[in-house]
Each structure stands twice: as structure tokens, then as C-alpha cells.
Amino acid sequence: QIAEQVVFENGNRPSTEWPDMVAVLTKGAVNYAAQMEGGPIMGFFTLPNFTSSSRPVPPMYIHVFMRGVGPLAFNAVSGLLFMHLMTFSPGTKLPNSQNVLEGMSHLGMTFGAYQFNLEGMLISAPKEEYLAVLHRPLPFRIEDDKGILVSHIQAIPWQGGAAIKMTGNLPLAGFLPFLGHVASNAQIFEQRDGAISSVLPIGKAEFRELLRRIQSQTNLRVKPEEPKMVFSKMSDEGTSTPIIVRLSLSILRLRDIVFPDGAHREKFDDAYEVVFTTISNVRANAKKITEMIEAHRTGVMLGSRGRIKNHTINIDETIDLPLHSAVAEFLNGSVRLLKDAMQRLLIVLGLDVGCLYRKSGGFKTGIAKLRKADPHLADYLEKTREWSEPLITLRNDLHESWLLPKFSYTENGGRIDVDEPRISGEATSAFVTRMSDRVFCFTEDVLAHALQGRMPPELSIAEIPIPDRKADCPERFEPTFVSGGATIWRIAYHDSTFDET
């Protein structure tokens, strides 16, 4: 709440009046961290109390940065204060900063980003610029006279201008003079894979002129880079749909915390792709089944699919066989998600829920063992067993000649009443709706619990209250700090539907 309030207050006054840090003893601290374009988020950043349009503007993001450092909050304040004093009062005897900050985690969360404009003032950075890096225009290729790639060059949009970024073997300093006087005071920042200039007062026209001059005044060739990624549309739904955002975007955000490196993340992604694809198939089949039943009922009652003649009911179009096939596909997909896909994914996260799928004796033994290590999960699986075992049993019966009962029809005052098939005494449409919802809740709950258990010790998961969820992105979970964060979520079984949870 304090971090969000800092962001709000910053919008009401110039950056020269922002406090450098707000700290709560025994809880945590909110300060600023710098991030050079294309680089990682770095440590403390002290805000300048002046503005200057004569100094080069670095292509740097300044983040409101929250850390749950607990009892070391005072150390965080001291570290920032000593950094000020060493800068402005050189020679002052101060404790060693490494000793002051010893044992303090540098893990934090950002709550807003700012950029320096050409007047030296910090102003909010447009999210589409610093978050949507993948959607920026592609860089240009710089090739030698033999067509061999030697570097890439790119204009990075910024407040009031752009920065020129060069990656590869060519030095950026050799090309900035082609921009003329606007680059005369440019500063160059070296990066791991190349270099980037300070922010220059240029737009698309000036950048195109730079490319033209490289092409015409050197022996190098400039070409647009060809895209190497394909974006494919998955569905007509987006992040405003709870099941889409909660079982895709939210899970992947938590995954980024647990697996910051690509190798381990790839194993998770491979297993999760199977889970999400199966979720989509189960959801599509449940929708197909309910639509088939409703269309058949309406057609018979309106006379387009059935009629009464001499007190005899004649059904002109039956759907018993295609409905049975759809239900069979639904059962197979639901159990595949519950038992196979989820179990493989949870193994990647180091969580074993295999006892859920064993016979009664093995289940009881496994739950007793699990309860010693993870009592919350054990309680959850015990309640899950009440619906998962009948679901798995029904799927198994399907392979031993179980057939979906047929529709039944009765005459009612010259009208045909339609009674849909029932599964274990429950209407088929209600059964698939309830079971798909249970499976989706299980997937979200258990996966969130598994990711929570693999987080760094300073972090955990909080549940966002339903009234506080954003309409365009109603996420249920968010990362939070153990110290100074929101209330920690614990897995607990619930009978509420997915959308109501």
C-alpha cells in the first residue's frame, strides 16, 4: 500500500521533491532502483534534487522498488544515507557499507517506472514502451560488402526523443556523427552486447536519415531485420476472461519468480503447455456438450426435430451417439488433465500428489505421510478425493463398455418434454459443468501451492480479494513479501466455482 501511495504522490509533484526512501521498521523499505535500457534492475538510486537540460540524458528507467527486508529496514535507510554522505561529504568516517547491508536480500518488486525527459525531469514511462519490448520495431541489419552481418542498429523510443542502440562488432561512436549536431554532446554507455547512446532529440525521420547516410557514405549495407517469431491467435478470449488470465498469465508470472533462468523454465513450460492445452480441450468439450443438449431440446420442443402423431412421439434427429462421443472425450480429457498432465507438471516443481490416484489403502497411507510435511495440502487432497475418485472410476468404466444413457421424451399436453441423459443421477450438462469447474479449480489451487513452495524465502503468494481484481485482468494471485507484504495465502479446499473464487 505504501509503494502504491508513493506512485500516486509522485504524480502530484515534480521529481525533485520526491523522497528517496520510505521505510517501516521490522517490515521493509520502498526506494528507487535504476535499470539501463536492455539491462537488469540495479541497486539503490538516489534521486537528483535538480534538473538540467544541458546534461546528457541516460536511457535509464527508474523504478519504485519495494523490498521486504524485515528487521534490516533500518540498515536499508542507513545504507542509503551513507551513500549520500560519501558522495557529498567525502572523507567522513562511516561504517563499511558491506557490513551495514550484510544479510540483506536484494530481491524486490517494482511498482512503477519513470524516465528522464530531455529537461532532466523524471516522468512516468509509458507501459507500452518498457513492458512491450517484443512489440517494438525490429532493428536494422548492418552487413559488410559480402552480405555478412556485423551489427544491428535500433532506435529506442524515449520521452521527447530516442536513444540509438548498437549491438555487434561495430562501434556506436563511429556512426553517431551521421546524425549531425543533435549528437554532438551524446554520451555512450557500454553494454554487454554493444552500446547505447544517451537520449537524443530525434524522431523517425532523423533515424531514417542516419540509416541512409550509413548506406550511402560507407561500404556497409543496411537492411530491415526479418522477424524470427510467429504470433498465432489462440482464441477470441483475452485477459478479461478469468480462466484465461488465471491459468495462463498469472501462472506464468509466478513461474518467472520460481525459474528465473531459461533452462529450468523450459522444463516447466514444456509440461505446462500440455496442461493448458488439455484445459482448453476440456473446456471446449464441456461447452460443446451443453450446446448440443440445449439445441436438441429446443429443436424437439419447437417441432423441428420431433413431432407427435397419434399420441406417438417421433424424433426425427437424435444425438445419442455424437453426445456419447463428446462425453467420452470430456471424461478422457478431464482425467488426463487431473491425473497425467498435472502430475507430470507437479513433479517438475518437486511436489508429489500420486497418492490421490491410488486405491483406498494407498491413498490413506500416502495422505498420512503427506500430512506430516504439508498438512494444508493433505486436507485439500482429502476433499478432492470425494469427486476425483468417482470421475476417474467413470472414465475407467468407459473403457469397459459404459454407455451414456439415451434421452427420454414424454408428451405433455401436445408438447414434447425432453429429459437429458443423467450421469450418476445428475443431468449430463450439469455434470460436465461441475466436473470441469472442479478440475480447473484443482489445477489453479495445487499449481499455485506448488509454485509458492518453490519461491525464495522472502516471497510468497497473496490472494487478491474479488472486489479488488481489475475488470480487464482479474488475476487471483500476486506475489507478496513475507515481511511487510499482504496476507499470505494458504491452500484450502472450497466448493465455490472457479469464477466465484
Side-chain angles (χ1 to χ4, degrees):
Q1 291 174 332
I2 289 176
E4 291 172 348
Q5 187 68 22
V6 166
V7 174
F8 175 78
E9 295 293 342
N10 285 355
N12 297 325
R13 49 185 52 81
S15 58
T16 52
E17 298 177 11
W18 299 352
D20 285 283
M21 178 180 283
V22 178
V24 180
L25 292 182
T26 76
K27 295 297 183 182
V30 178
N31 62 299
Y32 294 89
Q35 179 187 25
M36 189 66 71
E37 162 65 30
I41 294 178
M42 297 177 285
F44 286 133
F45 180 82
T46 55
L47 297 168
N49 64 349
F50 61 89
T51 61
S52 173
S53 58
S54 62
R55 299 189 180 195
V57 175
M60 177 186 293
Y61 298 106
I62 307 301
H63 299 270
V64 174
F65 198 64
M66 185 187 84
R67 292 180 297 156
V69 295
L72 296 179
F74 183 73
N75 296 57
V77 176
S78 300
L80 184 69
L81 177 61
F82 295 164
M83 186 164 64
H84 268 286
L85 291 172
M86 284 186 288
T87 302
F88 298 107
S89 299
T92 304
K93 286 189 175 182
L94 298 168
N96 186 294
S97 60
Q98 291 183 345
N99 294 337
V100 172
L101 303 177
E102 183 178 357
M104 182 182 299
S105 171
H106 296 289
L107 188 67
M109 288 190 289
T110 61
F111 278 77
Y114 304 89
Q115 295 172 326
F116 285 105
N117 61 16
L118 294 179
E119 287 70 44
M121 186 71 71
L122 279 173
I123 56 179
S124 293
K127 284 188 176 181
E128 62 271 16
E129 290 186 9
Y130 81 96
L131 291 181
V133 176
L134 292 176
H135 301 288
R136 283 180 180 166
L138 292 172
F140 285 80
R141 295 170 62 90
I142 300 181
E143 300 177 351
D144 63 16
D145 54 3
K146 296 180 181 179
I148 298 174
L149 175 68
V150 290
S151 282
H152 279 109
I153 189 169
Q154 185 177 19
I156 306 298
W158 212 260
Q159 306 277 7
I164 304 300
K165 183 172 183 176
M166 181 86 79
T167 57
N169 298 323
L170 296 176
L172 176 60
F175 295 93
L176 290 182
F178 287 124
L179 284 169
H181 72 280
V182 296
S184 58
N185 294 322
Q187 185 175 355
I188 295 177
F189 302 89
E190 298 298 328
Q191 296 187 305
R192 179 181 55 84
D193 55 352
I196 188 170
S197 74
S198 54
V199 181
L200 306 173
I202 62 173
K204 293 181 180 179
E206 290 81 4
F207 180 63
R208 285 196 295 267
E209 178 63 15
L210 168 64
L211 299 180
R212 189 193 68 77
R213 289 186 176 183
I214 294 174
Q215 176 86 11
S216 62
Q217 298 180 27
T218 71
N219 63 344
L220 299 170
R221 298 293 175 262
V222 180
K223 295 181 179 180
E225 183 59 272
E226 297 180 0
K228 294 181 173 59
M229 292 192 299
V230 177
F231 290 88
S232 300
K233 182 178 179 180
M234 294 177 61
S235 71
D236 290 325
E237 296 175 301
T239 55
S240 61
T241 304
I243 196 168
I244 299 297
V245 67
R246 286 162 54 180
L247 290 178
S248 59
L249 179 65
S250 291
I251 293 298
L252 295 180
R253 283 180 174 173
L254 298 178
R255 168 266 262 158
D256 288 344
I257 297 172
V258 174
F259 299 114
D261 63 293
H264 291 91
R265 187 185 302 169
E266 188 174 345
K267 292 181 180 179
F268 176 93
D269 289 352
D270 289 343
Y272 189 66
E273 183 179 6
V274 177
V275 169
F276 192 75
T277 300
T278 310
I279 288 171
S280 301
N281 291 337
V282 169
R283 189 164 170 250
N285 279 323
K287 182 180 179 182
K288 176 182 176 181
I289 290 167
T290 56
E291 289 177 348
M292 286 176 66
I293 291 173
E294 186 56 34
H296 181 70
R297 175 184 285 111
T298 302
V300 170
M301 294 179 66
L302 294 178
S304 62
R305 295 188 179 186
R307 50 198 166 78
I308 299 174
K309 185 177 181 180
N310 298 328
H311 298 287
T312 300
I313 297 175
N314 296 275
I315 303 301
D316 299 322
E317 183 182 346
T318 63
I319 63 167
D320 292 321
L321 287 179
L323 183 61
H324 172 78
S325 298
V327 170
E329 191 173 351
F330 171 81
L331 292 173
N332 283 322
S334 297
V335 174
R336 188 163 55 248
L337 172 60
L338 175 70
K339 185 177 180 181
D340 301 326
M342 273 296 289
Q343 196 169 188
R344 284 195 294 269
L345 177 59
L346 292 173
I347 288 174
V348 174
L349 292 168
L351 186 62
D352 182 8
V353 295
C355 64
L356 178 64
Y357 316 109
R358 298 182 192 137
K359 293 183 179 180
S360 179
F363 174 71
K364 291 179 180 178
T365 302
I367 283 293
K369 181 179 178 181
L370 179 62
R371 179 162 279 108
K372 296 177 182 178
D374 196 339
H376 296 290
L377 180 60
D379 290 342
Y380 186 93
L381 295 185
E382 274 194 323
K383 297 293 291 183
T384 298
R385 178 85 169 186
E386 295 176 7
W387 60 263
S388 66
E389 186 178 30
L391 175 64
I392 294 172
T393 299
L394 183 60
R395 194 286 305 264
N396 294 341
D397 290 343
L398 179 69
H399 300 295
E400 297 178 5
S401 72
W402 177 85
L403 292 174
L404 180 71
K406 296 182 178 181
F407 282 86
S408 63
Y409 310 92
T410 56
E411 181 184 356
N412 182 7
R415 187 186 66 183
I416 303 174
D417 286 345
V418 180
D419 189 15
E420 65 184 270
R422 306 186 80 78
I423 301 175
S424 302
E426 186 176 14
T428 298
S429 56
F431 174 85
V432 299
T433 300
R434 180 175 64 86
M435 278 300 178
S436 59
D437 194 82
R438 287 295 87 203
V439 173
F440 299 154
C441 287
F442 171 86
T443 301
E444 181 184 44
D445 292 339
V446 177
L447 187 50
H449 177 75
L451 288 165
Q452 182 182 42
R454 290 289 300 269
M455 286 188 166
E458 308 96 321
L459 284 179
S460 190
I461 293 175
E463 186 174 23
I464 304 172
I466 292 178
D468 296 340
R469 298 176 192 175
K470 299 176 182 177
D472 60 341
C473 191
E475 294 183 82
R476 179 186 174 195
F477 294 117
E478 64 180 355
T480 190
F481 281 101
V482 173
S483 174
T487 302
I488 305 298
W489 171 79
R490 299 297 179 197
I491 189 171
Y493 190 83
H494 56 86
D495 291 316
S496 56
T497 65
F498 187 91
D499 288 352
E500 294 172 345
T501 303

